[in-house]
């Protein structure tokens, strides 16, 4: 990021830039209208400022998915937004730090401030550090816009060289994107996983954000690995050390929050499909808590290699979607098409696990039509491919 870009960004914070942004914030950003809007705005504002402001308006509109209505007054870079922790997840993390009694956290690799803002809003003082000058300027603008300047101190520096005196905990969110896209190997994160381990020795109370695919063997003894999902989608994993660590593994579902922690339960033995099928949340699967969930539900797996649970009793749980199975059928496209037609199923949701099937293709092949709806689950039971016709089940009371 060069000096020109930082000048462009800071110009946006000057009165003229703010006036232009305020003008843009009234409307919904529409990509196709941006060109003609830009040419009109260039009559009244410098061209470079118009370009920067329009980029900011576009980023703000994209950022709503992560930051909700707060995005309208925040600042972003494209990379910063892509890598930022969504508000709900950052708030959950901040709750964990507050519950552990943390008073001042070093937010290392703070990016545009997704986590720093949530820590500060939870009443925790923050030393926020990033080495990229534009990103630091954007984070500082976010801190001011949120009115959290008295809680967050910004430092533009390499986190591996920063003194952490006065901080009783740290949070590290290494960059996991390189020039060639996503980085999956934690040793190639910036800074690398090895730095996280050194940091854990130094500060004791530490959280590190990692990709959900982190190998379980990398989690050191005594640390906790937590997988967080929001509305059924796994968003991140975090490794926590010291007082921040609880059980060995945990799945947390937002917006709940609902947390399921490891209790050392092994995987259940597979058994025949019962009346209900449970599809565990992705965070539960990633955290390998199928045994714990099965125990809580009084359910069994339907196959040793597949993360579906089943039982004859419907138990209310936030940790899985439940379906009532109406038919267990062999997996034959022709036969299934006949069943779908016979039942007048026009709205068909196809799910699969452990079957080499493209749900969209299968759905088309089954030619759904009619007034009824159903869920078709293609899976394996005790090694054999089967298709389950089902309805979403909602426990009463
Ligand atoms: C994943 S982003 C952080 C996102 C942030 N938690 C948020 O929610 O907005 C990673 C950041 O690490 C910064 N970074 C990478 N290596 C660094 C280092 N050695 N020192 C300081 N910052 C670094 C990058 O500039 C980038 O902004």
């Amino acid at each position: 990021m060069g000096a020109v870009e930082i000048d462009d960004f800071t110009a946006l914070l000057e009165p003229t830039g703010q006036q232009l942004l305020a003008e843009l914030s009234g409307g919904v950003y529409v990509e196709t209208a941006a060109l003609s809007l830009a040419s009109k705005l260039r009559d009244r504002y410098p061209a470079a400022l118009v370009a920067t402001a329009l980029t900011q308006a576009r980023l703000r509109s994209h950022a709503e998915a992560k930051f909700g209505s707060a995005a309208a007054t925040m600042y972003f870079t494209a990379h910063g937004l892509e890598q930022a922790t969504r508000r709900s997840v950052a708030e959950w993390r901040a709750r964990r730090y507050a519950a552990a009694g943390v008073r001042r956290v070093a937010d290392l690799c703070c990016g545009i401030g997704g986590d720093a803002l949530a820590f500060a809003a939870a009443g925790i003082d923050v030393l926020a550090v990033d080495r990229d000058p534009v990103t630091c300027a954007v984070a500082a603008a976010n801190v001011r816009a949120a009115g959290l300047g008295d809680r967050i101190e910004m430092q533009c520096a390499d986190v591996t060289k920063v003194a952490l005196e006065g901080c009783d905990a740290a949070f590290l969110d290494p960059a996991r994107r390189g020039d060639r896209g996503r980085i999956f190997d934690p040793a190639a994160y910036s800074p690398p996983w090895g730095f996280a381990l050194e940091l854990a020795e130094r500060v004791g109370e530490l959280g590190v954000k990692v990709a959900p695919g982190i190998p379980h063997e990398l989690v050191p003894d005594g640390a906790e690995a937590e997988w967080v999902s929001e509305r059924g989608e796994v968003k991140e994993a975090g490794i926590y050390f010291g007082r921040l660590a609880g059980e060995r593994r945990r799945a947390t579902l937002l917006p709940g929050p609902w947390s399921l922690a490891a209790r050392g339960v092994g995987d259940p033995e597979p058994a025949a499909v019962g009346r209900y099928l449970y599809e565990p949340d992705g965070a539960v699967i990633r955290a390998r808590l199928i045994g714990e969930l099965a125990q809580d539900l009084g359910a069994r797996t339907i196959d040793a290699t597949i993360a579906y649970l089943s039982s004859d009793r419907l138990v209310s749980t936030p940790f899985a979607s439940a379906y009532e199975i109406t038919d267990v059928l062999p997996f034959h496209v022709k036969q299934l098409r006949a069943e779908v037609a016979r039942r007048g199923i026009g709205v068909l949701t196809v799910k699969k696990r452990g079957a080499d099937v493209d749900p969209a293709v299968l759905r088309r092949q089954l030619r759904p039509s009619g007034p009824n709806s159903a869920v078709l689950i293609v899976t394996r039971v005790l090694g054999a491919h089967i298709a389950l016709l089902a309805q979403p089940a909602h426990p009463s009371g």
Side-chain angles (χ1 to χ4, degrees), residues 83-85 109-115 130-132 135 157-159 173-175 190-191:
Q83 301 185 78
T85 306
C109 297
C110 68
I112 57 99
D115 287 284
D130 203 286
R131 70 176 170 191
D132 179 65
T135 305
D158 184 330
V159 297
D173 185 0
S190 173

Side-chain angles (χ1 to χ4, degrees), residues 174-178 181-194 218:
R176 290 181 276 126
R177 270 186 189 276
R182 270 185 206 200
I183 297 170
F184 293 101
D185 177 8
Y189 290 176
S190 173
W193 179 243
L218 272 193

Side-chain angles (χ1 to χ4, degrees), residues 57-301:
R58 176 169 48 81
L59 291 172
R60 282 177 170 179
S61 84
H62 292 175
E64 257 180 58
K66 279 190 174 179
F67 292 95
S69 58
T73 50
M74 290 176 69
Y75 297 91
F76 302 97
T77 61
H79 275 115
L81 171 58
E82 199 180 326
Q83 301 185 78
T85 306
R86 59 185 48 238
R87 174 143 296 193
S88 56
V89 178
E91 282 174 354
W92 167 249
R93 187 179 354 268
R95 264 175 76 168
R96 290 188 60 133
Y97 276 66
V102 172
R103 304 242 292 265
R104 181 172 156 90
V105 63
D107 179 7
L108 304 176
C109 297
C110 68
I112 57 99
D115 287 284
L117 295 169
F119 281 131
I124 300 170
D125 286 338
V126 186
L127 167 66
V129 186
D130 203 286
R131 70 176 170 191
D132 179 65
V134 178
T135 305
C136 286
V138 171
N142 283 331
V143 171
R144 277 193 301 275
L148 290 167
D150 54 342
R151 283 225 176 268
I152 304 178
E153 179 194 339
M154 285 291 315
Q155 224 181 87
C156 198
D158 184 330
V159 297
T160 60
K161 303 198 169 90
V162 162
L164 301 175
E165 277 81 51
C167 294
D168 52 357
F171 170 62
L172 175 69
D173 185 0
R176 290 181 276 126
R177 270 186 189 276
D179 296 337
R180 277 177 287 149
R182 270 185 206 200
I183 297 170
F184 293 101
D185 177 8
Y189 290 176
S190 173
W193 179 243
F195 172 70
L197 297 178
E198 270 169 44
L199 197 59
E201 296 284 317
R202 252 164 74 199
V203 296
E205 277 52 71
L206 172 70
V208 186
K209 181 165 140 186
V210 293
I214 182 122
H216 283 230
E217 320 75 83
L218 272 193
V219 182
D221 286 346
E224 174 189 316
E226 178 187 45
W227 281 262
V228 182
S229 67
E230 187 186 52
R231 294 177 212 289
E233 233 179 81
V234 181
K235 296 300 182 190
E236 70 161 57
I239 313 295
Y240 294 93
F241 297 81
R243 274 183 294 125
L244 292 165
E247 305 305 329
R248 181 102 181 106
R249 298 185 314 282
R250 175 184 302 275
T252 296
L253 277 55
L254 301 176
W258 292 285
S259 253
L260 182 67
R263 308 189 293 264
V265 182
D267 283 342
E269 285 296 310
V273 181
R275 182 167 164 199
Y276 297 101
L277 186 89
Y278 295 95
E279 180 183 27
D281 186 277
V284 173
I285 297 173
R286 290 275 195 183
R288 297 195 190 144
L289 296 172
I290 295 296
E292 280 75 359
L293 182 60
Q295 191 176 65
D296 292 348
L297 299 174
R300 313 280 290 267
T301 49

